[in-house]
């Protein structure tokens, strides 16, 4: 994406500030959840997904040339292997106690596809950054994924298990598969293993097909045979991982990931079947439909700027809080679309995406960023700080990626784009 020097300087400085903020999370057994002041939140324990995200961000910083970030990235890889990995049954614990490496309660012992996707992402970024043990971590993540989470009969990832993988959840979710797609693209880029690109295609094909059925909105909740559950969690509309209805921010995120997949497959020009090529050729337009529908439903939906957390199936707001990650994904997707449009020579789309990029960035600067590197994670309907769903400032993953995206080419993943 072509941007001016002033904006690029700000983005670079903001990435560095986010990485500096993330350093506060380092603790003995990994990375802690951070509260609203940027201090450790011991009561939240050590969350697997947050530890993986922090590790991933420190890998990105390392690849950008920040030598001081390497020790933090290595700490993350080491802790995932030695503390979060369940040597008895395989897979990775969801939550550890802050002061020990023991699972935090029954939920801490569970094995979740969502969090395991981030293990794969962290390991893949670690491989790209040349970290010791990253390949071994990748092998552990691959083993868990293949044995327990990937359902070949559906070509999708199941949701979760108990500790010893004897009892599984009947629920299936698009969110876990979205991040499995993200991680699969990163794993393919890091290892060249073709299975990951095949898995990415399977996930994306299913979800886009389901989205097309309901007006290019992303369906979230399914049963064990992948039948849509439109009433799921109606009584828990603000659930942090499984909210009722539809999540416009996910429509934006899926749009960006579809472009990353498009970029990945275009590396294989001439090596894929005509049927696959036809699917890939349709992806930019499908991604654009997801992006524009999400913004039509979610942006300024209640008379104030920002993207509402959830809507019903008609696109009417349900939960009005604004999550910082939705704006981050808006910045990232607009950047990706602008880069695509530059390659395609589409002047109108370049103009449109630059306008959205500037709109989202202005919103972030006005409402979300209280100081360099310190992004408020949740606002209410009036754009004042809230904490109903996401108290504190748990991690920097979404913000770090969005300020990197404008300077990167359209590639399968962030780490690969930064490899010198």
């Amino acid at each position: 994406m072509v941007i001016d020097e002033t904006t690029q300087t700000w983005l670079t400085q903001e990435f560095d500030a986010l990485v500096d903020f993330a350093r506060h999370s380092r603790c003995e057994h990994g990375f802690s959840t951070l509260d609203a002041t940027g201090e450790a939140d011991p009561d939240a324990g050590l969350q697997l997904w947050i530890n993986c995200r922090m590790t991933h961000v420190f890998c990105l910083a390392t690849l950008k040339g920040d030598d001081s970030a390497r020790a933090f990235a290595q700490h993350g890889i080491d802790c995932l292997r030695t503390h979060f990995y369940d040597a008895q049954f395989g897979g990775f614990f969801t939550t550890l106690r802050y002061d020990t490496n023991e699972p935090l309660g029954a939920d801490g012992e569970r094995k979740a596809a969502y969090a395991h996707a981030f293990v794969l992402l962290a390991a893949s970024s670690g491989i790209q950054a040349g970290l010791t043990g990253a390949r071994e971590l990748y092998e552990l993540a691959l083993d868990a994924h293949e044995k327990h989470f990937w359902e070949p009969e559906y070509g999708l990832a199941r949701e979760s298990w108990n500790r010893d993988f004897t009892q599984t959840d009947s629920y299936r979710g698009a969110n876990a598969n979205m991040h499995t797609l993200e991680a699969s693209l990163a794993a393919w880029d890091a290892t060249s293993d073709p299975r990951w690109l095949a898995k990415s295609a399977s996930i994306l094909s299913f979800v886009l097909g389901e989205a097309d059925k309901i007006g290019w909105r992303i369906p979230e909740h399914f049963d064990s045979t992948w039948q849509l559950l439109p009433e799921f969690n109606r009584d828990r509309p603000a659930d942090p991982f499984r909210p009722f209805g539809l999540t416009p921010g996910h429509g934006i995120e899926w749009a960006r990931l579809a472009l990353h997949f498009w970029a990945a497959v275009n590396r294989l020009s001439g090596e894929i079947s005509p049927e696959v090529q036809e699917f890939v050729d349709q992806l930019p337009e499908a991604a654009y439909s997801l992006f524009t529908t999400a913004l039509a439903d979610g942006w300024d939906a209640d008379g104030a700027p920002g993207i509402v957390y959830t809507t019903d199936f008609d696109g009417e707001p349900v939960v009005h809080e604004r999550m910082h990650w939705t704006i981050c994904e808006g910045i990232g997707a607009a950047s990706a679309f602008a880069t695509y449009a530059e390659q395609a020579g589409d002047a109108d789309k370049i103009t449109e995406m630059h306008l959205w990029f500037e709109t989202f960035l202005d919103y972030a600067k006005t409402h979300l960023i209280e100081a360099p590197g310190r992004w408020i994670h949740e606002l209410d309907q009036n754009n004042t700080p809230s904490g109903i769903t996401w108290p504190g400032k748990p991690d920097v993953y979404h913000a770090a990626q969005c300020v990197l995206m404008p300077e990167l080419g359209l590639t399968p993943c962030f780490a690969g784009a930064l490899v010198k």
Side-chain angles (χ1 to χ4, degrees), residues 97-118:
R97 291 175 54 91
Y98 178 80
D99 54 349
T100 74
N101 60 354
E102 299 173 355
L104 180 60
D107 287 342
E109 291 185 346
R110 289 197 68 79
K111 311 291 172 62
Y114 176 90
H116 276 68
F118 283 112

Side-chain angles (χ1 to χ4, degrees), residues 179-320:
H179 288 292
T180 299
L181 166 62
E182 174 189 33
S184 295
L185 288 170
W188 177 76
D189 201 45
T191 69
S192 300
D193 186 333
R195 84 180 83 187
W196 295 117
L197 205 57
K199 290 174 189 289
S200 300
S202 180
I203 293 170
L204 195 56
S205 177
F206 173 80
V207 171
L208 290 182
E210 294 298 301
D212 189 14
K213 295 176 185 177
I214 57 172
W216 291 107
R217 299 177 174 109
I218 295 293
E220 298 284 351
H221 311 300
F222 298 85
D223 66 15
S224 61
T225 61
W226 285 96
Q227 301 302 304
L228 183 63
L229 300 174
E231 295 298 307
F232 186 84
N233 265 358
R234 180 176 282 276
D235 59 339
R236 298 182 61 192
D239 189 276
F241 292 105
R242 301 179 183 179
F244 164 73
L246 308 172
T247 306
H250 282 163
I252 297 169
E253 195 166 358
W254 278 99
R256 175 177 63 80
L257 289 168
L259 290 180
H260 287 301
F261 177 80
W262 176 87
V265 176
N266 277 330
R267 285 188 183 176
L268 305 175
S269 179
E271 301 178 33
I272 57 177
S273 69
E275 294 78 16
V276 172
Q277 188 64 59
E278 181 180 5
F279 170 67
V280 172
D281 289 344
Q282 295 171 353
L283 282 178
E285 191 59 36
Y288 182 72
S289 295
L290 290 176
F291 181 78
T292 54
T293 300
L295 292 176
D297 289 347
W299 177 259
D300 198 12
D302 50 16
I307 300 171
V308 298
Y309 182 37
T310 63
T311 72
D312 63 19
F313 281 78
D314 294 320
E316 294 299 317
V318 175
V319 178
H320 291 256

